[in-house]
Amino acid sequence: MSGPTPFRRIILVLFAAFFLLMSGRPVQAELTFTLLGETLTIDFQDYTGAGLASGGGGGALDSNDWELVIGDDNGSLQTSFGDTVGVGVFGRGMSSGGVSDSGYYSFETGGGNRALGIQLGDAGFSFGIPSLRIRNQTGQVVDALTVRYDVWVYNDSNNSNYFDLEFSNGSAFIDPVFLDTPSAADGTPEWVQTTLQYDLLLPENGLFGGVLQPLADGDSMLVEWSGGGRFDALNGFDEMAIDNIQITAFSTAIPEPGTPLALCVVSGVMALRRRSRKP
Protein backbone atom coordinates (compact mmCIF):
# COMPACT_ATOMS: atom_id res chain seq x y z
CA MET A 1 0.00 0.00 0.00
CA SER A 2 1.21 3.49 -0.73
CA GLY A 3 1.73 5.94 2.11
CA PRO A 4 3.40 9.16 3.13
CA THR A 5 6.92 9.70 1.78
CA PRO A 6 9.69 8.45 4.10
CA PHE A 7 10.96 12.02 4.52
CA ARG A 8 7.51 13.31 5.48
CA ARG A 9 7.05 10.45 7.93
CA ILE A 10 10.43 11.16 9.57
CA ILE A 11 9.61 14.86 9.90
CA LEU A 12 6.28 14.11 11.63
CA VAL A 13 7.96 11.59 13.94
CA LEU A 14 10.62 14.19 14.86
CA PHE A 15 7.97 16.80 15.66
CA ALA A 16 6.03 14.32 17.78
CA ALA A 17 9.16 13.17 19.62
CA PHE A 18 10.15 16.78 20.34
CA PHE A 19 6.81 17.63 21.92
CA LEU A 20 6.84 14.45 24.00
CA LEU A 21 10.38 15.07 25.26
CA MET A 22 9.59 18.67 26.19
CA SER A 23 6.43 17.77 28.10
CA GLY A 24 7.92 16.84 31.49
CA ARG A 25 6.33 13.72 32.94
CA PRO A 26 5.17 13.63 36.57
CA VAL A 27 5.78 10.38 38.44
CA GLN A 28 2.56 8.37 38.74
CA ALA A 29 1.55 4.75 38.91
CA GLU A 30 1.50 2.97 35.56
CA LEU A 31 0.88 -0.41 34.00
CA THR A 32 3.16 -2.63 36.06
CA PHE A 33 4.82 -6.00 35.50
CA THR A 34 5.37 -7.93 38.72
CA LEU A 35 6.33 -11.30 37.20
CA LEU A 36 8.57 -12.26 34.30
CA GLY A 37 6.53 -13.91 31.57
CA GLU A 38 3.41 -12.07 32.72
CA THR A 39 1.14 -10.77 29.94
CA LEU A 40 -0.76 -7.55 30.53
CA THR A 41 -3.86 -7.09 28.35
CA ILE A 42 -5.93 -4.00 27.49
CA ASP A 43 -9.14 -4.41 25.47
CA PHE A 44 -10.91 -1.00 25.90
CA GLN A 45 -14.33 -2.57 26.47
CA ASP A 46 -14.99 -0.11 29.34
CA TYR A 47 -13.77 2.91 27.35
CA THR A 48 -16.51 5.20 26.01
CA GLY A 49 -14.40 8.13 24.81
CA ALA A 50 -15.01 10.08 28.02
CA GLY A 51 -11.47 11.52 28.26
CA LEU A 52 -8.95 10.59 30.93
CA ALA A 53 -8.95 10.35 34.71
CA SER A 54 -6.49 9.13 37.33
CA GLY A 55 -7.52 5.54 37.93
CA GLY A 56 -9.89 5.53 34.94
CA GLY A 57 -13.56 4.69 35.40
CA GLY A 58 -16.67 6.35 34.01
CA GLY A 59 -15.69 5.42 30.45
CA ALA A 60 -12.36 7.29 30.67
CA LEU A 61 -8.82 6.06 30.08
CA ASP A 62 -6.60 5.71 33.13
CA SER A 63 -4.32 8.75 32.89
CA ASN A 64 -1.77 7.03 35.12
CA ASP A 65 -1.23 4.66 32.20
CA TRP A 66 -2.00 6.85 29.17
CA GLU A 67 -0.86 10.15 27.73
CA LEU A 68 -2.45 11.49 24.52
CA VAL A 69 -1.01 13.86 21.91
CA ILE A 70 -2.59 15.47 18.85
CA GLY A 71 -0.98 18.10 16.65
CA ASP A 72 0.56 19.31 13.41
CA ASP A 73 3.91 20.60 12.18
CA ASN A 74 3.44 23.85 14.13
CA GLY A 75 2.58 22.50 17.55
CA SER A 76 0.53 20.04 19.55
CA LEU A 77 -1.97 19.58 22.33
CA GLN A 78 -1.34 16.88 24.88
CA THR A 79 -2.32 15.50 28.24
CA SER A 80 0.10 14.60 31.02
CA PHE A 81 0.16 11.46 33.11
CA GLY A 82 -2.22 11.81 36.04
CA ASP A 83 -4.40 14.48 34.36
CA THR A 84 -8.19 14.62 34.41
CA VAL A 85 -9.47 15.66 30.99
CA GLY A 86 -13.13 15.59 29.98
CA VAL A 87 -15.13 16.05 26.80
CA GLY A 88 -13.29 17.67 23.89
CA VAL A 89 -10.47 16.73 21.57
CA PHE A 90 -9.29 14.07 24.07
CA GLY A 91 -12.80 12.79 24.73
CA ARG A 92 -14.98 12.66 21.62
CA GLY A 93 -17.27 9.92 22.86
CA MET A 94 -18.35 6.83 20.93
CA SER A 95 -18.74 6.35 17.18
CA SER A 96 -19.01 3.55 14.65
CA GLY A 97 -16.99 5.58 12.10
CA GLY A 98 -17.52 8.30 9.51
CA VAL A 99 -16.69 11.17 11.88
CA SER A 100 -15.05 14.47 10.90
CA ASP A 101 -14.11 16.15 14.22
CA SER A 102 -10.46 15.51 15.12
CA GLY A 103 -9.76 13.80 18.40
CA TYR A 104 -9.80 10.58 20.38
CA TYR A 105 -12.82 8.28 20.22
CA SER A 106 -14.11 4.99 21.46
CA PHE A 107 -14.76 3.41 18.08
CA GLU A 108 -17.32 0.62 17.90
CA THR A 109 -15.89 -1.75 15.30
CA GLY A 110 -18.75 -4.30 15.28
CA GLY A 111 -20.10 -7.09 17.45
CA GLY A 112 -20.00 -4.90 20.56
CA ASN A 113 -16.22 -4.39 20.32
CA ARG A 114 -14.65 -1.07 21.29
CA ALA A 115 -11.20 0.30 20.47
CA LEU A 116 -9.15 3.41 21.28
CA GLY A 117 -9.19 5.44 18.09
CA ILE A 118 -8.22 8.72 16.54
CA GLN A 119 -9.59 10.92 13.76
CA LEU A 120 -7.36 13.59 12.21
CA GLY A 121 -7.81 16.37 9.66
CA ASP A 122 -10.21 18.83 11.31
CA ALA A 123 -8.46 22.03 12.53
CA GLY A 124 -5.33 20.98 10.64
CA PHE A 125 -4.34 18.15 12.99
CA SER A 126 -2.06 15.72 11.14
CA PHE A 127 -0.72 13.37 13.82
CA GLY A 128 -1.76 11.78 17.07
CA ILE A 129 0.11 9.61 19.56
CA PRO A 130 -1.47 7.58 22.36
CA SER A 131 1.37 6.61 24.74
CA LEU A 132 1.16 3.74 27.23
CA ARG A 133 3.62 3.78 30.14
CA ILE A 134 4.79 0.44 31.50
CA ARG A 135 6.95 -0.24 34.57
CA ASN A 136 9.13 -3.18 35.57
CA GLN A 137 8.63 -4.30 39.17
CA THR A 138 9.60 -7.95 38.73
CA GLY A 139 12.75 -7.69 40.81
CA GLN A 140 14.70 -8.68 37.68
CA VAL A 141 16.10 -6.85 34.66
CA VAL A 142 13.67 -6.89 31.72
CA ASP A 143 15.53 -6.93 28.41
CA ALA A 144 12.85 -8.37 26.13
CA LEU A 145 9.25 -7.41 25.42
CA THR A 146 6.65 -8.95 23.16
CA VAL A 147 3.93 -6.54 22.06
CA ARG A 148 0.88 -7.87 20.21
CA TYR A 149 -2.06 -5.68 19.22
CA ASP A 150 -4.85 -5.10 16.72
CA VAL A 151 -5.17 -2.10 14.43
CA TRP A 152 -8.64 -1.25 13.15
CA VAL A 153 -8.98 0.96 10.06
CA TYR A 154 -12.14 2.56 8.67
CA ASN A 155 -10.94 3.48 5.18
CA ASP A 156 -13.25 6.33 4.16
CA SER A 157 -10.69 8.82 2.77
CA ASN A 158 -8.70 9.14 -0.45
CA ASN A 159 -5.59 9.75 1.60
CA SER A 160 -3.03 7.19 2.82
CA ASN A 161 -2.35 7.40 6.55
CA TYR A 162 0.02 5.51 8.86
CA PHE A 163 -0.29 3.99 12.32
CA ASP A 164 3.11 2.86 13.60
CA LEU A 165 4.34 1.17 16.77
CA GLU A 166 7.06 3.02 18.69
CA PHE A 167 9.09 2.52 21.86
CA SER A 168 10.71 5.39 23.75
CA ASN A 169 12.73 5.83 26.89
CA GLY A 170 14.22 9.22 27.69
CA SER A 171 15.71 10.69 24.51
CA ALA A 172 15.84 7.39 22.60
CA PHE A 173 13.04 5.96 20.48
CA ILE A 174 12.46 3.49 17.66
CA ASP A 175 9.50 2.85 15.35
CA PRO A 176 9.92 -0.76 14.18
CA VAL A 177 6.39 -1.60 12.95
CA PHE A 178 4.62 0.26 10.13
CA LEU A 179 1.03 0.08 8.92
CA ASP A 180 -0.19 2.21 6.00
CA THR A 181 -3.81 2.62 4.95
CA PRO A 182 -4.86 2.57 1.27
CA SER A 183 -4.67 5.81 -0.72
CA ALA A 184 -8.19 5.27 -2.13
CA ALA A 185 -11.32 5.02 0.00
CA ASP A 186 -13.35 1.83 0.10
CA GLY A 187 -16.63 2.02 -1.82
CA THR A 188 -18.50 0.85 1.27
CA PRO A 189 -16.23 1.49 4.25
CA GLU A 190 -16.21 -0.97 7.12
CA TRP A 191 -13.80 -1.68 9.96
CA VAL A 192 -10.87 -3.90 8.93
CA GLN A 193 -8.72 -5.57 11.58
CA THR A 194 -4.97 -6.26 11.33
CA THR A 195 -3.08 -8.10 14.08
CA LEU A 196 0.59 -7.17 14.52
CA GLN A 197 3.37 -8.31 16.84
CA TYR A 198 6.88 -7.15 17.62
CA ASP A 199 9.58 -8.75 19.79
CA LEU A 200 11.84 -6.08 21.29
CA LEU A 201 15.32 -7.03 22.53
CA LEU A 202 17.19 -4.49 24.64
CA PRO A 203 19.51 -2.64 24.42
CA GLU A 204 18.68 -1.16 21.01
CA ASN A 205 20.05 1.99 19.40
CA GLY A 206 17.58 4.84 18.99
CA LEU A 207 16.77 6.20 15.55
CA PHE A 208 18.20 9.65 16.23
CA GLY A 209 20.66 8.91 19.01
CA GLY A 210 20.52 7.45 22.46
CA VAL A 211 19.99 3.84 23.42
CA LEU A 212 16.88 2.03 24.61
CA GLN A 213 18.32 0.31 27.67
CA PRO A 214 17.05 -2.80 29.48
CA LEU A 215 14.58 -1.99 32.23
CA ALA A 216 16.08 -2.38 35.67
CA ASP A 217 13.66 -3.10 38.49
CA GLY A 218 11.60 0.07 38.98
CA ASP A 219 12.33 1.50 35.51
CA SER A 220 9.61 2.43 33.01
CA MET A 221 9.31 3.06 29.28
CA LEU A 222 6.68 4.13 26.75
CA VAL A 223 4.91 1.97 24.18
CA GLU A 224 3.36 4.33 21.62
CA TRP A 225 1.24 4.25 18.48
CA SER A 226 1.99 7.14 16.12
CA GLY A 227 -0.83 7.92 13.70
CA GLY A 228 -0.76 10.53 10.97
CA GLY A 229 -0.17 11.34 7.35
CA ARG A 230 -0.09 14.13 4.82
CA PHE A 231 -2.62 16.83 5.68
CA ASP A 232 -5.25 16.82 2.97
CA ALA A 233 -8.20 19.14 3.55
CA LEU A 234 -10.03 17.76 0.51
CA ASN A 235 -9.64 14.02 1.08
CA GLY A 236 -9.32 13.92 4.88
CA PHE A 237 -8.09 11.06 7.05
CA ASP A 238 -9.18 7.52 7.82
CA GLU A 239 -10.37 6.56 11.29
CA MET A 240 -7.76 4.35 12.99
CA ALA A 241 -7.81 2.53 16.32
CA ILE A 242 -5.79 0.16 18.51
CA ASP A 243 -7.22 -2.73 20.48
CA ASN A 244 -6.44 -5.99 22.32
CA ILE A 245 -2.98 -4.88 23.43
CA GLN A 246 -0.94 -7.71 24.96
CA ILE A 247 2.51 -6.99 26.39
CA THR A 248 4.76 -9.66 27.89
CA ALA A 249 8.02 -8.96 29.75
CA PHE A 250 11.00 -11.33 29.73
CA SER A 251 14.60 -11.53 30.87
CA THR A 252 17.27 -13.26 28.81
CA ALA A 253 19.82 -12.98 31.65
CA ILE A 254 21.02 -16.19 33.30
CA PRO A 255 19.83 -16.07 36.93
CA GLU A 256 22.33 -16.28 39.78
CA PRO A 257 22.65 -19.81 41.29
CA GLY A 258 20.51 -20.30 44.38
CA THR A 259 17.98 -17.59 43.55
CA PRO A 260 14.28 -18.57 43.35
CA LEU A 261 14.29 -17.90 39.61
CA ALA A 262 17.35 -20.13 39.10
CA LEU A 263 15.76 -22.91 41.15
CA CYS A 264 12.61 -22.68 39.01
CA VAL A 265 14.72 -22.95 35.85
CA VAL A 266 16.60 -26.00 37.22
CA SER A 267 13.34 -27.64 38.30
CA GLY A 268 11.89 -27.09 34.85
CA VAL A 269 14.94 -28.59 33.15
CA MET A 270 14.89 -31.65 35.44
CA ALA A 271 11.19 -32.17 34.79
CA LEU A 272 11.81 -32.08 31.03
CA ARG A 273 14.69 -34.59 31.39
CA ARG A 274 12.52 -36.96 33.41
CA ARG A 275 9.70 -36.63 30.88
CA SER A 276 12.07 -37.34 27.98
CA ARG A 277 13.25 -40.58 29.63
CA LYS A 278 9.77 -42.05 29.82
CA PRO A 279 9.10 -44.69 27.13
Side-chain angles (χ1 to χ4, degrees):
M1 292 182 242
S2 62
T5 64
F7 178 76
R8 174 68 175 178
R9 187 180 226 139
I10 289 171
I11 291 298
L12 288 174
V13 167
L14 283 172
F15 270 108
F18 172 79
F19 292 121
L20 286 171
L21 291 174
M22 295 298 291
S23 63
R25 305 177 189 279
V27 177
Q28 301 283 344
E30 54 264 287
L31 204 65
T32 301
F33 291 95
T34 58
L35 294 171
L36 292 175
E38 177 183 18
T39 298
L40 302 180
T41 301
I42 303 175
D43 64 11
F44 301 107
Q45 286 304 101
D46 295 328
Y47 175 56
T48 63
L52 303 97
S54 180
L61 294 174
D62 187 346
S63 62
N64 297 328
D65 299 338
W66 291 96
E67 181 180 75
L68 305 180
V69 175
I70 190 169
D72 58 25
D73 292 358
N74 298 312
S76 69
L77 302 174
Q78 73 177 79
T79 67
S80 295
F81 290 113
D83 278 356
T84 297
V85 181
V87 175
V89 69
F90 297 114
R92 291 295 192 195
M94 300 178 67
S95 172
S96 58
V99 295
S100 58
D101 290 337
S102 290
Y104 286 86
Y105 291 80
S106 172
F107 282 131
E108 299 175 287
T109 61
N113 186 65
R114 298 175 185 172
L116 169 60
I118 187 167
Q119 171 67 46
L120 299 170
D122 181 51
F125 291 124
S126 58
F127 70 81
I129 307 173
S131 299
L132 174 64
R133 187 168 57 177
I134 61 174
R135 179 178 290 273
N136 172 27
Q137 289 187 341
T138 65
Q140 305 291 327
V141 173
V142 168
D143 60 4
L145 292 170
T146 293
V147 179
R148 182 180 176 88
Y149 60 100
D150 294 336
V151 173
W152 290 93
V153 174
Y154 190 83
N155 179 35
D156 61 349
S157 78
N158 292 311
N159 186 17
S160 181
N161 310 144
Y162 64 83
F163 211 23
D164 301 342
L165 175 66
E166 299 180 354
F167 299 90
S168 69
N169 192 355
S171 61
F173 80 100
I174 60 172
D175 57 346
V177 181
F178 306 103
L179 183 141
D180 293 334
T181 69
S183 58
D186 291 338
T188 305
E190 60 183 17
W191 288 102
V192 176
Q193 178 186 22
T194 302
T195 300
L196 298 168
Q197 179 173 312
Y198 185 73
D199 300 316
L200 175 68
L201 295 177
L202 300 169
E204 183 163 336
N205 290 330
L207 285 177
F208 303 102
V211 178
L212 285 173
Q213 297 286 356
L215 296 178
D217 187 48
D219 283 354
S220 60
M221 73 181 305
L222 298 179
V223 182
E224 303 170 318
W225 289 265
S226 177
R230 180 174 58 87
F231 178 69
D232 189 328
L234 177 62
N235 292 315
F237 285 77
D238 300 321
E239 290 91 331
M240 302 178 291
I242 51 174
D243 196 12
N244 298 322
I245 300 167
Q246 299 177 55
I247 306 177
T248 309
F250 302 97
S251 177
T252 63
I254 299 175
E256 292 294 326
T259 63
L261 182 59
L263 294 175
C264 288
V265 171
V266 171
S267 298
V269 170
M270 294 303 294
L272 287 173
R273 289 184 63 187
R274 285 194 295 269
R275 192 174 299 123
S276 66
R277 289 175 180 174
K278 291 183 179 181

